[in-house]
C-alpha cells in the first residue's frame, strides 16, 4: 500500500511538471511571435522610406535637374548693334534675380559675367571678332535654385554693325587729305571696351618712307569721334627705330590702347 502511494505521488509530480513545461513553451512561442511582429513593422517602415526617396528622385528627374521651386527657364533674344551685345528676356515668374554666363570661344566653359541682375536685360560692349563660337546662358534664380536658358550663340549677329570707317573716309592725323584705303577691308583690326570706345588698326592712301600704304592706330567714341593714336613711319619713343606697320590692337576698360608694331631699326 505504501508503495502504491509513493507511485501515485511521483505520477502527480510528473503531471505537474509536464503542465508547467507546456506553459513555458506556450509563453516562449508568444514572445517569439511578438519579436517577429516588431521586426516585420521595422522592415515595413524602411520600405516606405525607400519608396518615398525613390519618388522624390523621380520627381527631380522629371524636372530636368531643376530644383523644386526654382523658376522656369528664361527665353532669351540676342541682338548686336554698334558694338553693343544685348540679351533680353521676358520676366520669369518667381525669379528673384538673373545670372549671365559666357563661354567666349565655345570650348573654355561657362563662367558668370557681371553681377546678379534684377532687370531682364544684359548689355555688353564687345568685339564679335574676339568671340568666334561664343555661347551664352541666362539663368533665372531664387532661393530654391537656378534654371538655365537654352544656349545662345552670337554667330550671324554682326549684321547690326554700323561701319565707323569705310574706304574713302577721311583719315585724321595722317596727312593732308588722307583717306582710308581699300586695304581697310583686309587689314582692319579693332577692339571695343565695355564703355563703347573702339580702337582701330587701318590703312590709308598715304605712303610711308618705303612707299607702302601707311597704317595707323585710331580710336573712336561717340563723343570724341575718330582720332589718330599712332602712325607708322614715326619714331619709336626713346629709340632711333621707327614704326613700319602694325598687326594688332586692343583697348582696355580704362581706354588704354595697346598695339603690336613692326619696326625699322
Amino acid at each position: 500500500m505504501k508503495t502504491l502511494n509513493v507511485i501515485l505521488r511521483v505520477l502527480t509530480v510528473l503531471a505537474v511538471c509536464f503542465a508547467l513545461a507546456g506553459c513555458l513553451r506556450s509563453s516562449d512561442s508568444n514572445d517569439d511571435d511578438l519579436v517577429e511582429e516588431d521586426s516585420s513593422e521595422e522592415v515595413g517602415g524602411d520600405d516606405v522610406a525607400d519608396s518615398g526617396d525613390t519618388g522624390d528622385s523621380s520627381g527631380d528627374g522629371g524636372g530636368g535637374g531643376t530644383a523644386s521651386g526654382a523658376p522656369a527657364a528664361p527665353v532669351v533674344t540676342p541682338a548686336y548693334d554698334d558694338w553693343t551685345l544685348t540679351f533680353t528676356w521676358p520676366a520669369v515668374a518667381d525669379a528673384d534675380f538673373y545670372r549671365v554666363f559666357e563661354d567666349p570661344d565655345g570650348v573654355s566653359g561657362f563662367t558668370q559675367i557681371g553681377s546678379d541682375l534684377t532687370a531682364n536685360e544684359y548689355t555688353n560692349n564687345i568685339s564679335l571678332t574676339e568671340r568666334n563660337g561664343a555661347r551664352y546662358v541666362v539663368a533665372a534664380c531664387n532661393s530654391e535654385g537656378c534654371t538655365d536658358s537654352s544656349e545662345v550663340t552670337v554667330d550671324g549677329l554682326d549684321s547690326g554693325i554700323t561701319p565707323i570707317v569705310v574706304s574713302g573716309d577721311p583719315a585724321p592725323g595722317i596727312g593732308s587729305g588722307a583717306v582710308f584705303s581699300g586695304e581697310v577691308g583686309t587689314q582692319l583690326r579693332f577692339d571695343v571696351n565695355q564703355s563703347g570706345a573702339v580702337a582701330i588698326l587701318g590703312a590709308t592712301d598715304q605712303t610711308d618712307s618705303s612707299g607702302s600704304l601707311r597704317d595707323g592706330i585710331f580710336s573712336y567714341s561717340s563723343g570724341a569721334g575718330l582720332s589718330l593714336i599712332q602712325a607708322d613711319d614715326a619714331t619709336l619713343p626713346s629709340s632711333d627705330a621707327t614704326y613700319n606697320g602694325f598687326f594688332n590692337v586692343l583697348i582696355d576698360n580704362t581706354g588704354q590702347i595697346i598695339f603690336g608694331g613692326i619696326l625699322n631699326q
Side-chain angles (χ1 to χ4, degrees):
M1 186 68 171
K2 184 181 291 185
T3 302
L4 181 59
N5 288 337
V6 171
I7 293 173
L8 289 174
R9 288 177 182 176
V10 171
L11 291 175
T12 302
V13 170
L14 290 174
V16 171
C17 288
F18 284 132
L20 289 173
C23 291
L24 290 173
R25 283 197 298 273
S26 176
S27 175
D28 290 342
S29 177
N30 290 338
D31 289 342
D32 290 343
D33 289 343
L34 290 175
V35 171
E36 290 176 1
E37 288 174 3
D38 290 343
S39 176
S40 176
E41 288 173 1
E42 290 174 0
V43 172
D46 289 342
D47 288 343
V48 170
D50 290 342
S51 176
D53 290 343
T54 301
D56 290 344
S57 298
S58 175
D60 291 343
T66 301
S68 176
V75 179
V76 181
T77 300
Y80 189 70
D81 182 48
D82 288 352
W83 325 110
T84 300
L85 176 64
T86 303
F87 298 125
T88 57
W89 56 90
V92 178
D94 300 323
D96 296 328
F97 59 93
Y98 305 93
R99 289 173 176 164
V100 180
F101 297 86
E102 178 190 50
D103 178 0
D105 53 14
V107 295
S108 298
F110 287 98
T111 56
Q112 183 174 351
I113 52 176
S115 57
D116 294 349
L117 305 170
T118 54
N120 53 326
E121 178 178 284
Y122 173 78
T123 299
N124 193 19
N125 293 294
I126 64 170
S127 164
L128 287 189
T129 60
E130 305 296 329
R131 294 295 190 278
N132 292 330
R135 301 179 298 160
Y136 296 86
V137 165
V138 177
C141 304
N142 62 19
S143 60
E144 299 297 326
C146 296
T147 307
D148 292 343
S149 69
S150 298
E151 289 184 8
V152 178
T153 63
V154 296
D155 294 343
L157 293 181
D158 56 355
S159 60
I161 295 176
T162 300
I164 292 176
V165 297
V166 296
S167 179
D169 284 350
I174 288 288
S176 177
V179 297
F180 289 99
S181 78
E183 293 297 317
V184 169
T186 58
Q187 293 191 20
L188 179 65
R189 299 288 186 275
F190 74 95
D191 193 31
V192 56
N193 66 13
Q194 290 184 1
S195 64
V198 181
I200 302 170
L201 164 58
T204 74
D205 66 346
Q206 297 289 312
T207 58
D208 59 20
S209 59
S210 68
S212 300
L213 290 176
R214 200 169 187 193
D215 291 345
I217 301 295
F218 301 85
S219 68
Y220 172 84
S221 67
S222 57
L226 189 66
S227 59
L228 177 69
I229 300 299
Q230 182 65 62
D232 62 4
D233 210 20
T235 302
L236 181 70
S238 303
S239 170
D240 59 355
T242 58
Y243 289 106
N244 188 35
F246 308 99
F247 56 83
N248 203 2
V249 61
L250 299 170
I251 182 170
D252 66 18
N253 288 331
T254 67
Q256 181 179 5
I257 296 174
I258 305 168
F259 54 86
I262 304 168
L263 302 178
N264 282 326
Q265 179 66 49

